[in-house]
Amino acid sequence: MRHRDLERIANAALRVGRALMECGASVSVTRLGVTMTARGLGAGIIGVRVGYASIGLTVSAEQTTITRMISVGGHGVNHRLDMAVRALAARVAEKGGTVASVNGDLDRLIRETPRHPVWLVALATGGACAAFGRLLGVDGQAFAAVLLGGTVGQDLRRRLAARGVNPFVIAALVAFVAGSIGGWGARLLGSASVDMATIAASLLLVPGVPATNAQTDIMEGYPTVGSARAVAVGMMMVFGATGIWCAQGLLRAGA
C-alpha cells in the first residue's frame, strides 16, 4: 500500500472519530469507530489517541507507518447522527469499502440526517423545563411562565451558537433571559414561587450528556478527556448560575 493511500485511510477514519466526538460520544465509542473504519479500509492500527480537542491515529500497512491528527470542534449532542455514524463504521468494518465511499457516506449523513424542526425543539425544551419545575415545587401559576422562558431560552441558545458565540457566554446570557422571563412572568401571574420559576426556566442548560460522558470516560480509563469534560461542565454551571443570579437580582430590584 502506498504512503498516500494509507494517509487517506487515516484521514477518513479520523473524520469518523471527529463526527462521533462532536455528536457527544464517549472516548471508548470514538476509539472503536476510528479503529473499525481504519481496519475495514485495510490498515493496521498501532495507536489511537482521543483528546478533548483533537484525535490522533497511527496506522500501518506492510512497511509503511504514518501518524495523523485531526482537530475536534464544539462538543454537542446529536444522538441520531451519532448512531448513524456508528452504523457506518460497523458496516465498513464488516464489509469493507473505499475511502471515497466512506467520505461520501459521512458527508451525506452529516448533511441529510433528519433533525426535528427548531420550533418543536424549543417548545419541547420549554415543556421539559416547566415539567421539571413542577417536580421541584413550582406552583401552577408559574407553569406558563417557565414554559415560555425555557422556549425562548432554547431558541436564543440555538441562534447564538449558530453565530459562533462562546458556549459559556451563551450559558450566562440564556440563563439570564430565560430566568428573567420565568421570574417576571411568574410574578405577574401571582405565583408564590418566583425564585424557583427563575431557576426552572434555566434548566435547559444542565449539561446532562457531557456530565455522563465525563464520568464514563474517567471510569473507563480515560481520565484526561473525562477531566476536561468535567471542567467544561463545571464552567457551564458557573456561567449559568451567574446568569440566574443576575436575573434574580433584577427581580428583587424591581420588587
Side-chain angles (χ1 to χ4, degrees):
M1 182 180 292
R2 296 179 302 174
H3 181 278
R4 178 57 180 167
D5 294 331
L6 190 59
E7 182 179 41
R8 293 175 66 235
I9 290 174
N11 289 335
L14 287 170
R15 290 191 67 218
V16 169
R18 177 172 63 185
L20 289 170
M21 282 289 283
E22 292 178 354
C23 287
S26 66
V27 171
S28 60
V29 170
T30 301
R31 285 175 58 90
L32 182 60
V34 171
T35 300
M36 289 195 301
T37 303
R39 285 179 175 166
L41 292 175
I45 300 294
I46 293 179
V48 180
R49 187 204 66 83
V50 178
Y52 187 81
S54 64
I55 305 173
L57 172 64
T58 301
V59 292
S60 64
E62 300 171 356
Q63 301 300 316
T64 304
T65 300
I66 64 169
T67 299
R68 292 293 181 269
M69 296 183 68
I70 194 170
S71 61
V72 175
H75 292 229
V77 179
N78 188 333
H79 288 304
R80 184 176 289 176
L81 180 57
D82 179 14
M83 298 308 296
V85 176
R86 293 190 200 192
L88 170 62
R91 186 170 66 249
V92 173
E94 179 182 357
K95 300 180 180 179
T98 64
V99 171
S101 66
V102 171
N103 284 328
D105 287 344
L106 182 60
D107 290 337
R108 178 182 56 80
L109 290 175
I110 294 173
R111 183 178 62 253
E112 299 179 3
T113 297
R115 294 175 178 267
H116 294 296
V118 294
W119 65 266
L120 179 60
V121 173
L123 185 60
T125 302
C129 290
F132 275 115
R134 289 290 284 167
L135 292 174
L136 294 173
V138 171
D139 55 29
Q141 292 93 318
F143 184 88
V146 175
L147 173 63
L148 178 61
T151 301
V152 173
Q154 171 60 29
D155 185 65
L156 176 62
R157 176 165 67 172
R158 178 187 63 82
R159 293 176 184 274
L160 292 176
R163 292 176 177 271
V165 178
N166 182 283
F168 304 123
V169 175
I170 291 177
L173 293 174
V174 169
F176 176 76
V177 171
S180 296
I181 293 174
W184 282 104
R187 176 178 291 178
L188 292 174
L189 293 172
S191 170
S193 51
V194 173
D195 284 344
M196 186 56 70
T198 305
I199 296 172
S202 307
L203 287 177
L204 63 108
L205 293 169
V206 175
V209 172
T212 301
N213 278 337
Q215 297 176 39
T216 300
D217 290 342
I218 292 173
M219 293 180 67
E220 291 182 344
Y222 307 107
T224 303
V225 180
S227 298
R229 280 176 160 158
V231 170
V233 168
M235 289 289 289
M236 189 71 68
M237 299 301 291
V238 167
F239 276 80
T242 301
I244 294 173
W245 178 77
C246 291
Q248 290 182 336
L250 183 63
L251 277 166
R252 295 189 184 97

